[in-house]
Short mmCIF file of all heavy atoms in Angstrom, two decimals:
data_model
loop_
_atom_site.label_atom_id
_atom_site.label_comp_id
_atom_site.label_asym_id
_atom_site.label_seq_id
_atom_site.Cartn_x
_atom_site.Cartn_y
_atom_site.Cartn_z
N SER A 1 12.38 -70.12 -43.94
CA SER A 1 12.11 -71.56 -43.74
C SER A 1 10.61 -71.74 -43.67
O SER A 1 9.92 -70.94 -43.01
CB SER A 1 12.79 -72.04 -42.48
OG SER A 1 12.53 -73.45 -42.33
N THR A 2 10.08 -72.74 -44.33
CA THR A 2 8.65 -73.03 -44.41
C THR A 2 8.39 -74.40 -43.81
O THR A 2 9.10 -75.37 -44.10
CB THR A 2 8.10 -72.92 -45.82
OG1 THR A 2 8.46 -71.59 -46.31
CG2 THR A 2 6.68 -73.17 -45.90
N ASP A 3 7.26 -74.52 -43.07
CA ASP A 3 6.85 -75.84 -42.52
C ASP A 3 5.35 -75.85 -42.50
O ASP A 3 4.68 -74.83 -42.24
CB ASP A 3 7.50 -76.04 -41.17
CG ASP A 3 7.48 -77.48 -40.78
OD1 ASP A 3 7.09 -78.36 -41.58
OD2 ASP A 3 7.86 -77.75 -39.60
N ASP A 4 4.75 -77.05 -42.73
CA ASP A 4 3.33 -77.30 -42.56
C ASP A 4 3.07 -77.95 -41.27
O ASP A 4 3.82 -78.84 -40.88
CB ASP A 4 2.87 -78.18 -43.73
CG ASP A 4 2.93 -77.54 -45.12
OD1 ASP A 4 2.75 -76.30 -45.16
OD2 ASP A 4 3.10 -78.26 -46.09
N ILE A 5 1.96 -77.57 -40.67
CA ILE A 5 1.43 -78.21 -39.49
C ILE A 5 0.16 -78.86 -39.88
O ILE A 5 -0.80 -78.12 -40.34
CB ILE A 5 1.25 -77.18 -38.30
CG1 ILE A 5 2.54 -76.44 -37.97
CG2 ILE A 5 0.68 -77.96 -37.11
CD1 ILE A 5 3.69 -77.36 -37.49
N THR A 6 0.02 -80.14 -39.73
CA THR A 6 -1.20 -80.85 -40.09
C THR A 6 -2.00 -81.12 -38.77
O THR A 6 -1.41 -81.58 -37.80
CB THR A 6 -0.91 -82.19 -40.76
OG1 THR A 6 -0.14 -81.91 -41.97
CG2 THR A 6 -2.20 -82.90 -41.14
N PHE A 7 -3.28 -80.81 -38.77
CA PHE A 7 -4.10 -80.99 -37.60
C PHE A 7 -4.81 -82.32 -37.63
O PHE A 7 -5.45 -82.68 -38.61
CB PHE A 7 -5.12 -79.83 -37.53
CG PHE A 7 -4.46 -78.55 -37.16
CD1 PHE A 7 -3.81 -77.75 -38.12
CD2 PHE A 7 -4.51 -78.08 -35.85
CE1 PHE A 7 -3.21 -76.62 -37.78
CE2 PHE A 7 -3.85 -76.90 -35.50
CZ PHE A 7 -3.23 -76.11 -36.52
N ARG A 8 -4.72 -83.09 -36.55
CA ARG A 8 -5.33 -84.37 -36.41
C ARG A 8 -6.03 -84.43 -35.00
O ARG A 8 -5.70 -83.61 -34.15
CB ARG A 8 -4.29 -85.52 -36.51
CG ARG A 8 -3.67 -85.55 -37.84
CD ARG A 8 -2.79 -86.81 -37.96
NE ARG A 8 -2.29 -86.97 -39.27
CZ ARG A 8 -1.12 -86.58 -39.76
NH1 ARG A 8 -0.33 -85.94 -38.93
NH2 ARG A 8 -0.76 -86.71 -41.03
N ASN A 9 -6.87 -85.44 -34.81
CA ASN A 9 -7.47 -85.65 -33.54
C ASN A 9 -6.73 -86.81 -32.84
O ASN A 9 -6.15 -87.71 -33.50
CB ASN A 9 -8.94 -85.99 -33.72
CG ASN A 9 -9.84 -84.83 -33.50
OD1 ASN A 9 -9.47 -83.88 -32.82
ND2 ASN A 9 -10.97 -84.85 -34.11
N ASN A 10 -6.82 -86.82 -31.56
CA ASN A 10 -6.18 -87.91 -30.75
C ASN A 10 -6.94 -89.23 -30.92
O ASN A 10 -8.15 -89.23 -31.16
CB ASN A 10 -6.17 -87.56 -29.22
CG ASN A 10 -5.21 -86.51 -28.90
OD1 ASN A 10 -4.08 -86.50 -29.43
ND2 ASN A 10 -5.52 -85.57 -27.98
N ASN A 11 -6.17 -90.29 -30.67
CA ASN A 11 -6.75 -91.60 -30.41
C ASN A 11 -6.61 -91.67 -28.87
O ASN A 11 -5.78 -91.13 -28.23
CB ASN A 11 -5.95 -92.72 -31.06
CG ASN A 11 -5.97 -92.67 -32.54
OD1 ASN A 11 -6.78 -91.93 -33.13
ND2 ASN A 11 -5.15 -93.44 -33.21
N TYR A 12 -7.52 -92.48 -28.26
CA TYR A 12 -7.60 -92.56 -26.81
C TYR A 12 -7.54 -94.03 -26.32
O TYR A 12 -8.11 -94.90 -26.99
CB TYR A 12 -8.94 -91.98 -26.25
CG TYR A 12 -9.05 -90.48 -26.51
CD1 TYR A 12 -9.66 -90.03 -27.65
CD2 TYR A 12 -8.51 -89.52 -25.68
CE1 TYR A 12 -9.75 -88.65 -27.96
CE2 TYR A 12 -8.59 -88.14 -25.91
CZ TYR A 12 -9.20 -87.75 -27.12
OH TYR A 12 -9.31 -86.38 -27.35
N TYR A 13 -6.87 -94.23 -25.22
CA TYR A 13 -6.76 -95.59 -24.70
C TYR A 13 -6.65 -95.46 -23.14
O TYR A 13 -6.21 -94.46 -22.60
CB TYR A 13 -5.58 -96.35 -25.26
CG TYR A 13 -4.21 -95.78 -24.89
CD1 TYR A 13 -3.50 -96.20 -23.81
CD2 TYR A 13 -3.73 -94.65 -25.61
CE1 TYR A 13 -2.31 -95.61 -23.48
CE2 TYR A 13 -2.52 -94.04 -25.31
CZ TYR A 13 -1.85 -94.54 -24.21
OH TYR A 13 -0.62 -93.95 -23.90
N GLY A 14 -7.00 -96.58 -22.45
CA GLY A 14 -6.85 -96.61 -20.98
C GLY A 14 -7.94 -97.48 -20.40
O GLY A 14 -8.61 -98.20 -21.03
N VAL A 15 -8.01 -97.38 -19.08
CA VAL A 15 -8.99 -98.21 -18.29
C VAL A 15 -10.01 -97.32 -17.64
O VAL A 15 -9.65 -96.15 -17.30
CB VAL A 15 -8.29 -99.15 -17.24
CG1 VAL A 15 -7.32 -100.02 -17.91
CG2 VAL A 15 -7.56 -98.25 -16.22
N SER A 16 -11.20 -97.86 -17.44
CA SER A 16 -12.24 -97.12 -16.70
C SER A 16 -13.19 -98.14 -16.09
O SER A 16 -13.43 -99.24 -16.67
CB SER A 16 -12.99 -96.20 -17.69
OG SER A 16 -14.09 -95.58 -16.98
N SER A 17 -13.70 -97.78 -14.91
CA SER A 17 -14.81 -98.61 -14.36
C SER A 17 -16.18 -98.27 -14.94
O SER A 17 -17.10 -98.98 -14.63
CB SER A 17 -14.80 -98.40 -12.81
OG SER A 17 -15.04 -97.03 -12.55
N ASN A 18 -16.23 -97.23 -15.77
CA ASN A 18 -17.47 -96.97 -16.46
C ASN A 18 -17.64 -97.99 -17.61
O ASN A 18 -16.78 -98.08 -18.52
CB ASN A 18 -17.37 -95.49 -17.04
CG ASN A 18 -18.65 -95.07 -17.74
OD1 ASN A 18 -19.46 -95.88 -18.23
ND2 ASN A 18 -18.84 -93.77 -17.86
N ALA A 19 -18.76 -98.72 -17.57
CA ALA A 19 -18.93 -99.76 -18.59
C ALA A 19 -19.47 -99.25 -19.94
O ALA A 19 -19.58 -100.04 -20.84
CB ALA A 19 -19.84 -100.79 -18.06
N GLY A 20 -19.69 -97.92 -20.06
CA GLY A 20 -20.21 -97.43 -21.28
C GLY A 20 -19.73 -96.05 -21.62
O GLY A 20 -20.56 -95.11 -21.72
N LEU A 21 -18.45 -95.84 -21.72
CA LEU A 21 -17.93 -94.53 -22.05
C LEU A 21 -18.56 -93.95 -23.31
O LEU A 21 -18.83 -94.65 -24.27
CB LEU A 21 -16.40 -94.54 -22.27
CG LEU A 21 -15.49 -94.85 -21.08
CD1 LEU A 21 -14.01 -94.73 -21.47
CD2 LEU A 21 -15.76 -93.81 -19.95
N THR A 22 -18.75 -92.62 -23.30
CA THR A 22 -19.27 -91.92 -24.43
C THR A 22 -18.23 -90.89 -24.87
O THR A 22 -17.18 -90.74 -24.29
CB THR A 22 -20.63 -91.22 -24.13
OG1 THR A 22 -20.41 -90.23 -23.21
CG2 THR A 22 -21.69 -92.24 -23.69
N GLY A 23 -18.50 -90.19 -25.97
CA GLY A 23 -17.61 -89.19 -26.51
C GLY A 23 -16.95 -88.26 -25.53
O GLY A 23 -15.76 -88.12 -25.49
N PRO A 24 -17.83 -87.55 -24.64
CA PRO A 24 -17.16 -86.67 -23.69
C PRO A 24 -16.26 -87.36 -22.67
O PRO A 24 -15.32 -86.77 -22.17
CB PRO A 24 -18.40 -86.03 -22.98
CG PRO A 24 -19.51 -86.23 -23.97
CD PRO A 24 -19.20 -87.51 -24.72
N ASP A 25 -16.45 -88.63 -22.44
CA ASP A 25 -15.70 -89.36 -21.43
C ASP A 25 -14.30 -89.67 -21.95
O ASP A 25 -13.37 -90.01 -21.11
CB ASP A 25 -16.34 -90.68 -21.10
CG ASP A 25 -17.71 -90.50 -20.47
OD1 ASP A 25 -17.90 -89.59 -19.71
OD2 ASP A 25 -18.63 -91.31 -20.87
N LEU A 26 -14.03 -89.57 -23.24
CA LEU A 26 -12.79 -89.97 -23.81
C LEU A 26 -11.62 -89.08 -23.27
O LEU A 26 -10.50 -89.52 -23.16
CB LEU A 26 -12.75 -89.92 -25.35
CG LEU A 26 -13.73 -90.86 -26.02
CD1 LEU A 26 -13.69 -90.64 -27.45
CD2 LEU A 26 -13.45 -92.32 -25.61
N LEU A 27 -11.92 -87.86 -22.88
CA LEU A 27 -10.92 -86.96 -22.41
C LEU A 27 -10.32 -87.37 -21.06
O LEU A 27 -9.22 -86.96 -20.67
CB LEU A 27 -11.48 -85.55 -22.25
CG LEU A 27 -11.88 -84.83 -23.57
CD1 LEU A 27 -12.53 -83.51 -23.35
CD2 LEU A 27 -10.67 -84.68 -24.49
N SER A 28 -10.91 -88.38 -20.40
CA SER A 28 -10.39 -88.94 -19.15
C SER A 28 -9.34 -90.02 -19.38
O SER A 28 -8.67 -90.42 -18.46
CB SER A 28 -11.52 -89.52 -18.31
OG SER A 28 -12.09 -90.65 -18.88
N LEU A 29 -9.20 -90.47 -20.67
CA LEU A 29 -8.23 -91.50 -21.00
C LEU A 29 -6.89 -90.89 -21.45
O LEU A 29 -6.76 -89.75 -21.68
CB LEU A 29 -8.82 -92.39 -22.09
CG LEU A 29 -10.15 -93.12 -21.80
CD1 LEU A 29 -10.60 -93.81 -23.04
CD2 LEU A 29 -9.97 -94.04 -20.58
N ASN A 30 -5.90 -91.78 -21.58
CA ASN A 30 -4.60 -91.42 -22.20
C ASN A 30 -4.86 -91.15 -23.72
O ASN A 30 -5.86 -91.63 -24.29
CB ASN A 30 -3.60 -92.49 -22.07
CG ASN A 30 -3.32 -92.85 -20.64
OD1 ASN A 30 -3.08 -91.98 -19.83
ND2 ASN A 30 -3.36 -94.07 -20.30
N SER A 31 -3.94 -90.40 -24.35
CA SER A 31 -4.18 -90.11 -25.77
C SER A 31 -2.83 -90.14 -26.52
O SER A 31 -1.78 -89.96 -25.96
CB SER A 31 -4.82 -88.72 -25.92
OG SER A 31 -4.01 -87.73 -25.41
N ASN A 32 -3.00 -90.41 -27.80
CA ASN A 32 -1.82 -90.32 -28.71
C ASN A 32 -2.33 -89.74 -30.04
O ASN A 32 -3.49 -89.95 -30.37
CB ASN A 32 -1.14 -91.65 -28.95
CG ASN A 32 -2.01 -92.62 -29.74
OD1 ASN A 32 -3.15 -92.94 -29.38
ND2 ASN A 32 -1.51 -93.12 -30.83
N LEU A 33 -1.47 -88.97 -30.63
CA LEU A 33 -1.87 -88.25 -31.83
C LEU A 33 -1.34 -89.08 -33.05
O LEU A 33 -0.10 -89.39 -33.08
CB LEU A 33 -1.20 -86.88 -31.91
CG LEU A 33 -1.72 -85.91 -32.95
CD1 LEU A 33 -3.18 -85.68 -32.80
CD2 LEU A 33 -0.95 -84.58 -32.74
N ASP A 34 -2.19 -89.52 -33.94
CA ASP A 34 -1.83 -90.34 -35.00
C ASP A 34 -2.71 -90.12 -36.20
O ASP A 34 -3.74 -89.47 -36.09
CB ASP A 34 -1.87 -91.85 -34.61
CG ASP A 34 -0.83 -92.65 -35.28
OD1 ASP A 34 -0.42 -92.36 -36.41
OD2 ASP A 34 -0.45 -93.72 -34.75
N SER A 35 -2.34 -90.68 -37.35
CA SER A 35 -3.08 -90.50 -38.58
C SER A 35 -3.79 -91.76 -38.99
O SER A 35 -4.25 -91.89 -40.13
CB SER A 35 -2.18 -89.98 -39.77
OG SER A 35 -1.19 -90.97 -39.98
N ASN A 36 -3.87 -92.76 -38.06
CA ASN A 36 -4.52 -94.04 -38.31
C ASN A 36 -4.92 -94.64 -36.98
O ASN A 36 -4.64 -94.09 -35.96
CB ASN A 36 -3.63 -94.93 -39.12
CG ASN A 36 -2.31 -95.27 -38.42
OD1 ASN A 36 -2.33 -95.91 -37.35
ND2 ASN A 36 -1.23 -94.85 -39.05
N ARG A 37 -5.49 -95.81 -37.01
CA ARG A 37 -5.98 -96.51 -35.82
C ARG A 37 -4.99 -97.40 -35.21
O ARG A 37 -5.14 -97.94 -34.08
CB ARG A 37 -7.29 -97.24 -36.12
CG ARG A 37 -7.07 -98.43 -37.03
CD ARG A 37 -8.35 -99.21 -37.37
NE ARG A 37 -8.14 -100.22 -38.27
CZ ARG A 37 -8.25 -100.19 -39.59
NH1 ARG A 37 -8.75 -99.02 -40.09
NH2 ARG A 37 -8.01 -101.20 -40.36
N ASN A 38 -3.93 -97.74 -35.89
CA ASN A 38 -2.93 -98.76 -35.43
C ASN A 38 -2.17 -98.27 -34.21
O ASN A 38 -1.63 -97.16 -34.24
CB ASN A 38 -1.97 -99.10 -36.57
CG ASN A 38 -2.65 -99.59 -37.79
OD1 ASN A 38 -3.79 -100.16 -37.72
ND2 ASN A 38 -2.02 -99.44 -38.93
N TYR A 39 -2.13 -99.13 -33.18
CA TYR A 39 -1.46 -98.73 -31.99
C TYR A 39 -1.28 -100.00 -31.08
O TYR A 39 -2.08 -100.88 -31.15
CB TYR A 39 -2.26 -97.70 -31.24
CG TYR A 39 -1.45 -96.99 -30.16
CD1 TYR A 39 -0.33 -96.25 -30.43
CD2 TYR A 39 -1.89 -97.04 -28.81
CE1 TYR A 39 0.34 -95.53 -29.48
CE2 TYR A 39 -1.18 -96.39 -27.86
CZ TYR A 39 -0.04 -95.64 -28.17
OH TYR A 39 0.63 -94.92 -27.21
N SER A 40 -0.21 -100.01 -30.32
CA SER A 40 0.06 -101.05 -29.34
C SER A 40 0.23 -100.37 -27.97
O SER A 40 0.92 -99.38 -27.86
CB SER A 40 1.29 -101.88 -29.64
OG SER A 40 1.12 -102.51 -30.87
N PHE A 41 -0.44 -100.97 -26.93
CA PHE A 41 -0.31 -100.43 -25.62
C PHE A 41 -0.51 -101.49 -24.62
O PHE A 41 -1.09 -102.49 -24.90
CB PHE A 41 -1.28 -99.20 -25.41
CG PHE A 41 -2.71 -99.57 -25.42
CD1 PHE A 41 -3.41 -99.78 -24.26
CD2 PHE A 41 -3.36 -99.66 -26.60
CE1 PHE A 41 -4.78 -100.10 -24.27
CE2 PHE A 41 -4.78 -100.00 -26.67
CZ PHE A 41 -5.43 -100.22 -25.47
N SER A 42 -0.01 -101.27 -23.38
CA SER A 42 -0.26 -102.14 -22.27
C SER A 42 -1.00 -101.34 -21.20
O SER A 42 -0.75 -100.19 -20.99
CB SER A 42 1.08 -102.61 -21.67
OG SER A 42 1.75 -103.47 -22.63
N ASP A 43 -1.90 -102.04 -20.57
CA ASP A 43 -2.66 -101.45 -19.48
C ASP A 43 -2.97 -102.44 -18.45
O ASP A 43 -2.78 -103.66 -18.65
CB ASP A 43 -4.00 -100.80 -19.99
CG ASP A 43 -4.11 -99.34 -19.69
OD1 ASP A 43 -3.76 -98.95 -18.56
OD2 ASP A 43 -4.52 -98.55 -20.55
#
């Protein structure tokens, strides 16, 4: 049986009191793995 695994990066969402998150700060947020930017969430 053969299967392909495709590697993607996470999209991130959530709340923070930091008014200027940068790239390293994204790991503190929630994440979802997707192949586009479209997403719906509540916070």
